[in-house]
């Protein structure tokens, strides 16, 4: 009799353990289901099912910049974050001169930001940049020096027009005659 009770006890205990294991198995499946749901939404998840990151929220390593030449032809390039518009133009064979190679001693990298909203996103120009801009041909309210405009995520989609001409007084050593 005692032996039968013992066997029943062991049996009940085994079922209880199996039942427990079964519950645990279901719990272990939950993160997988949760993960699949997140993957379905183009997201990643951890083993616990928690959302870790979303690739679409990663900052872009490059931004799109459109250069518009003096004939109105457009060239769209991808510019790495941190690169100046002058460097980007040179890497992509865009005719932006940059005679002093970014040392703020000329105005040949003059660009015109076509959209004032993008212009307002830029850092204010330093005095040296304003001094050089004063020498630029065809100066506008949204003119900047391309070597001083640095690619940043908020500038994605910016359009830069190239002026019809440039002046190169400072680098050439040319001193304009007084009128
Ligand atoms: Fe000379 Fe920009 S390249 S000031």
């Amino acid at each position: 009799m005692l032996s039968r009770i013992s066997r029943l006890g062991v049996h009940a205990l085994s079922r209880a353990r199996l039942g427990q294991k079964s519950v645990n198995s279901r719990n272990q499946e939950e993160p997988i289901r949760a993960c699949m749901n997140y993957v379905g939404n183009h997201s990643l998840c951890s083993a616990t099912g928690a959302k870790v990151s979303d690739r679409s929220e990663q900052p872009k390593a490059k931004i799109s910049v459109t250069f518009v030449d003096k004939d109105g032809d457009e060239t769209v390039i991808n510019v790495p974050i941190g690169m100046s518009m002058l460097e980007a133009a040179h890497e992509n064979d865009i005719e932006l001169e940059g005679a002093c190679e970014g040392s703020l001693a000329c105005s040949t990298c003059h660009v015109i930001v076509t959209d004032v909203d993008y212009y307002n996103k830029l850092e204010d120009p330093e005095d040296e940049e304003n001094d050089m801009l004063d020498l630029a041909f065809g100066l506008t309210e949204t003119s900047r020096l391309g070597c001083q405009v640095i690619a940043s995520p908020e500038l994605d989609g910016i359009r830069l027009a190239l002026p019809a001409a440039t002046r190169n007084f400072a680098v050439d050593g040319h001193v304009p005659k007084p009128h």
Side-chain angles (χ1 to χ4, degrees), residues 84-87 96 109-111 144-150:
S84 78
M85 295 304 144
L86 177 65
E87 293 172 286
L96 185 60
C109 62
H110 176 205
V111 293
R144 292 298 300 259
L145 294 180
C147 65
Q148 303 302 306
V149 178
I150 308 301

Side-chain angles (χ1 to χ4, degrees), residues 4-172:
R4 181 173 161 74
I5 290 172
S6 297
R7 276 205 304 275
L8 283 172
V10 168
H11 187 63
L13 189 60
S14 299
R15 287 186 59 165
R17 281 188 179 146
L18 280 173
Q20 179 70 37
K21 190 173 178 187
S22 172
V23 168
N24 281 345
S25 295
R26 270 204 304 277
N27 284 345
Q28 284 167 356
E29 286 169 8
E30 290 304 323
I32 295 170
R33 264 199 293 275
C35 189
M36 290 172 74
N37 285 339
Y38 279 123
V39 168
N41 289 326
H42 309 290
S43 303
L44 300 175
C45 61
S46 71
T48 61
K51 189 176 178 184
V52 173
S53 65
D54 188 328
R55 282 190 182 132
S56 64
E57 292 170 4
Q58 297 285 327
K60 289 177 77 172
K62 292 184 176 182
I63 61 169
S64 172
V65 176
T66 302
F67 282 91
V68 186
D69 72 15
K70 57 183 185 297
D71 298 320
D73 293 333
E74 299 187 358
T75 305
V76 182
I77 61 172
N78 291 318
V79 182
I81 301 297
M83 178 179 277
S84 78
M85 295 304 144
L86 177 65
E87 293 172 286
H90 286 179
E91 283 200 356
N92 291 276
D93 298 324
I94 289 165
E95 289 187 25
L96 185 60
E97 189 175 334
C100 78
E101 298 179 346
S103 58
L104 280 174
C106 74
S107 60
T108 60
C109 62
H110 176 205
V111 293
I112 299 161
V113 183
T114 62
D115 184 332
V116 72
D117 288 339
Y118 278 103
Y119 179 82
N120 290 334
K121 291 178 184 178
L122 300 174
E123 297 280 322
D124 288 340
E126 302 284 337
D127 289 346
E128 293 89 341
E129 183 179 352
N130 278 328
D131 290 346
M132 288 299 119
L133 279 170
D134 286 342
L135 302 174
F137 178 88
L139 187 67
T140 73
E141 290 291 316
T142 58
S143 287
R144 292 298 300 259
L145 294 180
C147 65
Q148 303 302 306
V149 178
I150 308 301
S152 59
E154 63 270 21
L155 296 184
D156 188 32
I158 194 171
R159 289 163 59 86
L160 301 173
L162 305 182
T166 60
R167 290 195 183 113
N168 198 356
F169 300 137
V171 167
D172 291 345

